[in-house]
Amino acid sequence: MLMFAFQQTSAVADHVPLLPYLLIVLGLVAALLTLPLLLGRKTKNAVKSASYECGVAPKGSARQRFSVHFYLVAVLFILFDIEAVFLFPWALNIQGLGLAGFVEAVVFVAVLGLGLGYAWRKGVLDWQ
Amino acid sequence: MSDTQVYYLAFLVKLLVVFTLAVGLVPILVYAERRVSALMQFRWGPNRVGPFGLLQPFADMVKLLCKEDLVPERASKVLFTIAPALTCIPPFLVMSFIPVAPSFALAGREMKGVVVDSPVGILLLLALSSLTVYGLAIGGWASNSKYSLLGGLRSSAQMISYELAMGISVLAVLCVSGTLNLSEIIYRQTQFFGYDAQSGNWAGWNIFAQPLAFVIFLVAAFAETNRLPFDLPEAESELVGGYHTEYSSMKFSLFFMGEYIGMVGISSVLVVLFLGGWHFPGMNSLGVQPGTLPFTLLGLLVFLAKIGVLLFFFIHVRWTLPRFRYDQLMRIGWKVLLPLALLNVLVTGAVVAGS
């Protein structure tokens, strides 16, 4: 069904209308970004252009180390997102694939489920 | 005018209608949000500018345009400037993939109720909605402020976590509808509830075939748009303003435009995937001929009414529920929604493959 749709119409031609739409959107955003430069006040002083820390003078840089948890979550995300991408063709053709296809999908999900279980046990998903 | 010219003129009109829909709903939503919250807290809300305060959003916009555009001394200037644009543009583009109305015949050709009728619409929607993360993460980092950095990090971790559950809940819908094309998905939901007489496939609204996927998608939608109860990236009481602490003037409001258009976009996706798009029960017995312009406009009205209900729900929830703690947020995303979504896909697969 999907392959048929691809053969009938050029996939590129379907997306051409995005171009004028994108131009309108870019125009609006560019206008909104430049207008305040023309209309707004321009006064500068050291305190005003310092970064905001609730009124206290900013101490040190904000470019410091942060929790490794964020990296772990990102890695897990990539794993499971790729899993979802692999499952899309299966979900589309499920009626033609029948029981054999379903069993393969179950095995595939189970392997990744094991991975999730491992991360779970290791405490990757717990915050403090 | 020749037929081709008529067709392209109508196409331009359609383009502008969809664009106006995306932009025009923002001030309406801002106004609705403030009035509904006032109603729920026994206040008046904005009621001074224009009749019932209706012109308040426009006054705010003029004010924001005339504000000083402040860039902090230590910020990365270029990234600081493009981050608001990066958050604002993807939700706009999402709207161009949404079939907001049925197609009608014009000058011997079919005029579709969608700007870009992509054969892989759902994949593009998922891709676009994850692009928003870049704007928030870059904006938070480029500000070179501790609150902004924390807000940006939190929001990127939150959005990617809930995107998983969202993507996998969509899989279950695909098992039922069997296509990635959004218009096609709507055309498969012609009835309110029931099976197609000829093929025996499900032809009702997908919410009845996939209630669990709907709930998972709805919860993930709140997290994706950074709305309460998932508004940790900008938790005012902990992080000042989160990733947009350092932003002022129109850059600041571009973040807000992005959030509100994102709400419109995600409500539209919910309507397309689960709530039958522009269908409603008894639509064909009204005497309006399908495939004509009046039918298209009727469909557009139905679609707007449906996203209106969902948007009201978004606002109502914001002023009803308290905010989650960050560990609770991550626990719901990874330990509840993700396994539930996977299970839902497998159960759906078993039922569809077995039938």
Side-chain angles (χ1 to χ4, degrees):
Chain A
M1 176 71 205
L2 190 70
M3 280 313 295
F4 181 72
F6 268 111
Q7 281 156 10
Q8 286 299 301
T9 56
S10 155
V12 179
D14 280 334
H15 296 89
V16 169
L18 187 60
L19 213 63
Y21 186 83
L22 183 67
L23 284 179
I24 298 179
V25 171
L26 285 179
L28 176 82
V29 171
L32 288 181
L33 278 177
T34 42
L35 269 178
L37 295 177
L38 305 172
L39 297 172
R41 281 156 50 94
K42 282 176 218 64
T43 51
K44 265 203 162 178
N45 61 54
V47 179
K48 197 168 166 185
S49 51
S51 44
Y52 180 74
E53 284 189 16
C54 299
V56 185
K59 194 163 178 292
S61 168
R63 305 276 152 81
Q64 25 178 291
R65 298 198 281 180
F66 48 83
S67 171
V68 72
H69 257 98
F70 290 110
Y71 288 109
L72 290 173
V73 166
V75 170
L76 277 183
F77 162 71
I78 292 174
L79 269 176
F80 281 91
D81 214 31
I82 292 175
E83 170 190 8
V85 170
F86 277 131
L87 282 174
F88 270 96
W90 167 74
L92 284 173
N93 298 306
I94 186 163
Q95 274 159 341
L97 292 174
L99 193 66
F102 173 69
V103 171
E104 282 179 33
V106 170
V107 172
F108 182 66
V109 172
V111 170
L112 277 139
L114 276 177
L116 182 67
Y118 179 71
W120 194 322
R121 281 281 297 276
K122 281 283 176 186
V124 178
L125 310 178
D126 298 312
W127 291 69
Q128 274 91 47
Chain B
M1 276 200 295
S2 72
D3 279 1
T4 322
Q5 278 171 324
V6 170
Y7 184 79
Y8 281 112
L9 196 69
F11 175 77
L12 202 66
V13 171
K14 177 174 77 177
L15 205 73
L16 290 175
V17 165
V18 171
F19 179 73
T20 318
L21 208 69
V23 185
L25 276 172
V26 174
I28 298 175
L29 265 178
V30 173
Y31 175 77
E33 174 125 13
R34 294 180 67 180
R35 288 296 282 205
V36 170
S37 67
L39 198 70
M40 291 176 75
Q41 296 170 340
F42 293 101
R43 296 185 285 114
W44 279 107
N47 66 349
R48 283 289 176 268
V49 190
F52 308 104
L54 272 171
L55 296 178
Q56 184 70 44
F58 300 99
D60 286 342
M61 209 185 84
V62 171
K63 180 195 75 177
L64 280 162
L65 271 174
C66 296
K67 284 279 177 185
E68 179 176 359
D69 200 359
L70 200 68
V71 181
E73 195 65 38
R74 295 190 299 173
S76 312
K77 306 273 182 315
V78 178
L79 289 178
F80 189 81
T81 310
I82 62 169
L86 280 179
T87 3
C88 190
I89 293 171
F92 263 118
L93 297 187
V94 163
M95 288 308 290
S96 71
F97 292 100
I98 305 287
V100 288
S103 53
F104 63 99
L106 181 81
R109 289 163 81 172
E110 186 192 16
M111 179 52 89
K112 285 175 175 148
V114 50
V115 175
V116 187
D117 190 35
S118 168
V120 288
I122 291 185
L123 294 181
L124 283 170
L125 284 184
L126 289 174
L128 279 173
S129 68
S130 45
L131 276 182
T132 316
V133 178
Y134 282 103
L136 307 190
I138 290 176
W141 185 83
S143 304
N144 202 348
S145 159
K146 285 153 199 158
Y147 296 112
S148 305
L149 179 72
L150 277 175
L153 278 175
R154 277 186 180 191
S155 78
S156 30
Q158 165 183 334
M159 287 180 83
I160 60 177
S161 301
Y162 280 79
E163 205 182 295
L164 278 179
M166 183 182 260
I168 294 174
S169 69
V170 169
L171 271 175
V173 177
L174 293 185
C175 288
V176 176
S177 60
T179 171
L180 289 169
N181 184 311
L182 293 166
S183 311
E184 193 66 26
I185 290 178
I186 295 183
Y187 278 114
R188 303 254 167 116
Q189 303 178 65
T190 43
Q191 304 172 17
F192 181 62
F193 188 93
Y195 292 88
D196 189 55
Q198 280 156 12
S199 64
N201 288 334
W202 176 255
W205 292 6
N206 282 336
I207 183 175
F208 301 115
Q210 289 293 335
L212 189 59
F214 176 75
V215 172
I216 293 169
F217 195 102
L218 190 67
V219 174
F222 276 90
E224 287 286 299
T225 47
N226 291 329
R227 294 282 297 183
L228 259 165
F230 298 105
D231 74 333
L232 281 122
E234 45 191 283
E236 301 97 327
S237 43
E238 305 167 32
L239 287 178
V240 191
Y243 54 85
H244 54 57
T245 301
E246 298 290 347
Y247 281 92
S248 61
S249 178
M250 215 57 207
K251 289 201 188 98
F252 168 77
S253 45
L254 277 181
F255 278 118
F256 267 82
M257 266 177 79
E259 181 182 320
Y260 279 102
I261 301 173
M263 268 163 68
V264 176
I266 212 100
S267 311
S268 309
V269 178
L270 269 164
V271 169
V272 169
L273 290 182
F274 295 100
L275 300 175
W278 33 259
H279 288 297
F280 76 90
M283 193 174 179
N284 288 326
S285 53
L286 280 178
V288 188
Q289 188 68 31
T292 58
L293 186 58
F295 191 77
T296 301
L297 295 177
L298 184 68
L300 183 63
L301 276 181
V302 172
F303 196 89
L304 285 178
K306 283 183 185 173
I307 59 175
V309 171
L310 279 174
L311 289 171
F312 179 77
F313 181 66
F314 266 88
I315 295 173
H316 197 282
V317 165
R318 169 165 178 191
W319 298 98
T320 309
L321 297 179
R323 179 184 302 138
F324 283 117
R325 233 171 39 221
Y326 201 69
D327 61 323
Q328 293 170 328
L329 172 107
M330 284 312 211
R331 195 171 68 221
I332 296 168
W334 285 96
K335 296 187 180 177
V336 180
L337 289 186
L338 181 60
L340 264 183
L342 279 173
L343 206 67
N344 187 38
V345 170
L346 290 183
V347 170
T348 309
V351 172
V352 176
S355 65

